[in-house]
Amino acid sequence: MAQELGWKELPEGDALKAGTAADFHTGDWRSKRPIKDDKTCINCLFCYIYCPDSAVKVKDGKVIEIDYNYCKGCGICENVCPVKPVKAIKMVSER
Amino acid sequence: MATLKELAVREDRLTGGHRMCPGCGAPIIVRQALMAVKEPVVVVSATGCLEVSTTIFPYSAWKVPFLHSAFENSAATMSGVEAAYTSLKKQGKITGDTKFIAFGGDGGTYDIGFQSLSGAMERGHDMLYICYDNQAYMNTSVQRSGATPRGASTTTEPAGKVKQGKVMTRKDLTECMVAHNIPYAAQTIVGDWRDLTKKVEKAMSIKGPKFINVLQPCQLGWGYRMDLTIELGKLAADTCFWPLYEVENGKYTLSYTPKEKKPLAEFLKPQNRFRHLFKPENQKLLEELQADVDRKWELLKKKCDCFGTEK
């Protein structure tokens, strides 16, 4: 949503279009960034199913990327990653 | 039952860009629940973290028809939507098969929305009510609710010199719903995607009112590191603090029995709201809480035994 609406243009009954939150990027909340190691990732999709921000993108049963526009850096993906001894997702400081 | 790979093919019905806290359990519940439904779905939500943070004007994170009315009436609102749909279908004005899911936090379900939920369940509307239970009014900064467990420190019942957190025990809402004689009531958790999606899928295959109570760890209100959400959910099941079970037409089935029942302290330890329980003078209270969990777990096992359904 680029410009603010005046009262005449406001939708009646606060009706909103579906899925517009996708235009709002929450990535700048992050202080740590998850980095995925494609070599060790076993594509178990745990990070996908447990991501609160729908930031893990999956295509054809494989994790293709982490969308940093939405990722808030909670670290759940690192926590649930079952790869041993070194996890395939590592949280790295943004600085 | 859908596998993870099958679920991943389905469209995500909640977009990113919503304003829930990092590491919040509620969007995890919503994503998994909506993924488990193959049919078109209409969602209603009670006022609460979920509703407030996903629909901040002019943005909405929902890719499904979504309706919000007030704090106390998500179940009543959903009843109306479902009744209108049934009527229009009877008149031949719409076709197809649409499912109805109402979401409510523990405040909007256990306390404020209880009468509307009870009414909707009693009238027998074909809908699923999912309660995301984070055990206090987290949206307005952690006031105690009917779902807050005994001993938990909240802003309205803090631990101090006079009290050691909440004095009363938690309301058992799942049992209240079982007492409504609905076809399906279940309890599950954030941290077991298989159990959650299985239960939602099963609920969708049943006609009539359904209820699922999901324990949702809340990093802000419970006071733990935000990456531990899934781990704490699993611990709640492993310590039998939050047993996973389902009740189909009065028949109890245990969905998960921990290999080794862990002591309750393991679940309480990472949470700041239970910090005071680990002082030496509160040893007795901690023991009482453990005894309470044990008693309820034994009782539940006996109920399941009655039907020979314990796994």
Side-chain angles (χ1 to χ4, degrees):
Chain A
M1 171 116 341
Q3 70 197 67
E4 285 195 6
L5 299 175
W7 66 272
K8 281 181 186 165
E9 293 107 48
L10 285 176
E12 220 171 281
D14 195 7
L16 302 175
K17 281 196 180 135
T20 46
D23 300 339
F24 190 92
H25 294 164
T26 47
D28 53 1
W29 293 19
R30 195 172 53 235
S31 61
K32 278 183 179 172
R33 163 189 292 251
I35 305 283
K36 190 173 85 80
D37 184 354
D38 292 329
K39 282 189 205 115
T40 53
C41 174
I42 55 168
N43 291 303
C44 64
L45 308 187
F46 283 178
C47 52
Y48 164 76
I49 199 82
Y50 287 127
C51 176
D53 295 297
S54 320
V56 180
K57 301 289 173 220
V58 172
K59 204 179 170 191
D60 303 326
K62 290 199 167 74
V63 179
I64 46 166
E65 63 162 347
I66 296 170
D67 194 334
Y68 294 117
N69 283 332
Y70 304 121
C71 169
K72 293 172 188 157
C74 64
I76 286 181
C77 48
E78 185 196 37
N79 198 288
V80 296
C81 182
V83 179
K84 278 176 187 165
V86 182
K87 289 183 186 262
I89 294 183
K90 269 251 157 281
M91 297 302 288
V92 181
S93 179
E94 281 284 355
R95 287 187 190 203
Chain B
M1 207 205 94
T3 62
L4 205 41
K5 289 227 155 53
E6 283 161 15
L7 290 176
V9 180
R10 296 183 192 163
E11 193 203 9
D12 224 326
R13 282 158 150 178
L14 187 80
T15 68
H18 56 72
R19 259 66 70 77
M20 308 291 280
C21 302
C24 176
I28 305 178
I29 298 174
V30 172
R31 284 186 65 225
Q32 294 181 358
L34 296 185
M35 246 178 241
V37 188
K38 277 180 256 145
E39 297 84 359
V41 62
V42 179
V43 172
V44 163
S45 176
T47 307
C49 290
L50 181 67
E51 178 268 325
V52 168
S53 325
T54 52
T55 58
I56 295 178
F57 188 85
Y59 301 102
S60 165
W62 300 84
K63 283 190 182 166
V64 292
F66 175 87
L67 189 66
H68 164 252
S69 168
F71 206 149
E72 69 282 7
N73 61 6
S74 67
T77 309
M78 192 60 9
S79 313
V81 175
E82 192 268 341
Y85 170 80
T86 313
S87 168
L88 288 171
K89 206 171 175 181
K90 215 181 259 173
Q91 296 168 41
K93 288 182 181 165
I94 38 175
T95 49
D97 189 17
T98 303
K99 301 291 184 192
F100 301 92
I101 302 182
F103 287 100
D106 56 296
T109 310
Y110 281 71
D111 301 347
I112 301 177
F114 189 64
Q115 55 85 14
S116 85
L117 172 65
S118 177
M121 295 288 125
E122 187 270 330
R123 289 189 300 271
H125 292 282
D126 185 19
M127 60 182 264
L128 166 65
Y129 193 103
I130 298 179
C131 171
Y132 65 99
D133 178 359
N134 47 30
Q135 305 204 310
Y137 288 85
M138 299 311 183
N139 187 38
T140 48
S141 73
V142 205
Q143 288 86 3
R144 95 195 260 289
S145 79
T148 310
R150 187 176 166 212
S153 180
T154 52
T155 50
T156 43
E157 218 170 351
K161 278 183 194 149
V162 182
K163 280 183 183 177
Q164 296 308 316
K166 191 177 167 184
V167 178
M168 303 306 292
T169 46
R170 187 175 76 77
K171 198 192 278 185
D172 195 340
L173 187 69
T174 316
E175 286 300 316
C176 295
M177 287 301 118
V178 173
H180 280 66
N181 294 315
I182 54 176
Y184 189 75
Q187 205 164 271
T188 182
I189 207 150
V190 172
D192 192 341
W193 68 269
R194 200 184 290 272
D195 193 64
L196 200 152
T197 52
K198 200 166 103 186
K199 279 174 179 162
V200 172
E201 222 169 84
K202 193 167 192 179
M204 284 301 136
S205 68
I206 298 168
K207 206 170 160 51
K210 283 92 56 177
F211 177 83
I212 300 180
N213 202 358
V214 193
L215 183 73
Q216 178 237 311
C218 166
Q219 52 106 340
L220 187 79
W222 292 17
Y224 62 85
R225 247 179 37 221
M226 59 188 171
D227 60 318
L228 295 179
T229 304
I230 305 302
E231 219 171 288
L232 268 176
K234 284 182 178 152
L235 271 173
D238 281 338
T239 54
C240 300
F241 172 82
W242 192 267
L244 311 186
Y245 66 99
E246 54 187 5
V247 186
E248 247 178 299
N249 294 313
K251 192 176 136 190
Y252 282 76
T253 314
L254 217 50
S255 343
Y256 173 71
T257 315
K259 276 194 195 102
E260 192 189 339
K261 187 165 167 286
K262 290 183 177 162
L264 181 66
E266 275 189 45
F267 169 67
L268 307 182
K269 199 94 203 210
Q271 305 177 44
N272 270 348
R273 62 175 181 158
F274 291 118
R275 192 170 38 182
H276 55 283
L277 292 181
F278 294 94
K279 287 182 190 160
E281 62 266 34
N282 284 334
Q283 176 74 20
K284 197 167 162 278
L285 179 58
L286 190 60
E287 279 165 17
E288 278 172 28
L289 293 176
Q290 176 71 59
D292 196 41
V293 167
D294 293 345
R295 186 182 60 80
K296 283 182 181 149
W297 174 242
E298 288 306 318
L299 185 66
L300 179 65
K301 277 205 292 190
K302 280 201 179 112
K303 280 181 188 167
C304 296
D305 267 345
C306 290
F307 298 99
T309 47
E310 195 191 334
K311 276 175 200 164

